[in-house]
Amino acid sequence: MHWLWVLIVGGVIGAIAGAITSKGKSMGWIFNIIAGLVGSSIGQSLLGSWGPQVAGMALFPSIIGAVILVAVVSFFVGKK
């Protein structure tokens, strides 16, 4: 049951990152989950685990990490 909660929180973090970077409409729900989970790892490794935590992920560093990930991926893969 924990993994389901992690996937849901990862998807929400990825959706928030997509909305902040204006790439939310072009990303699917699978990429939202991946961006949230990978962004969470990036954010917590760079910024630590401060702030509220849900499903083992600190929200603010996770969102910042996901925003960085989405911005970098959209820069290299973005439509020209």
Side-chain angles (χ1 to χ4, degrees):
M1 191 68 175
H2 175 71
W3 285 104
L4 179 63
W5 187 240
V6 168
L7 292 175
I8 291 170
V9 172
V12 170
I13 290 172
I16 291 170
I20 290 173
T21 59
S22 301
K23 301 293 180 191
K25 294 181 181 177
S26 63
M27 298 184 340
W29 61 274
I30 293 176
F31 185 74
N32 279 342
I33 293 172
I34 293 170
L37 295 176
V38 174
S40 176
S41 298
I42 292 170
Q44 289 186 40
S45 66
L46 292 176
L47 303 172
S49 58
W50 50 273
Q53 293 190 4
V54 178
M57 293 180 263
L59 292 181
F60 298 124
S62 298
I63 292 171
I64 293 170
V67 166
I68 292 169
L69 177 70
V70 169
V72 168
V73 168
S74 65
F75 177 76
F76 286 112
V77 181
K79 296 178 183 176
K80 296 180 181 184

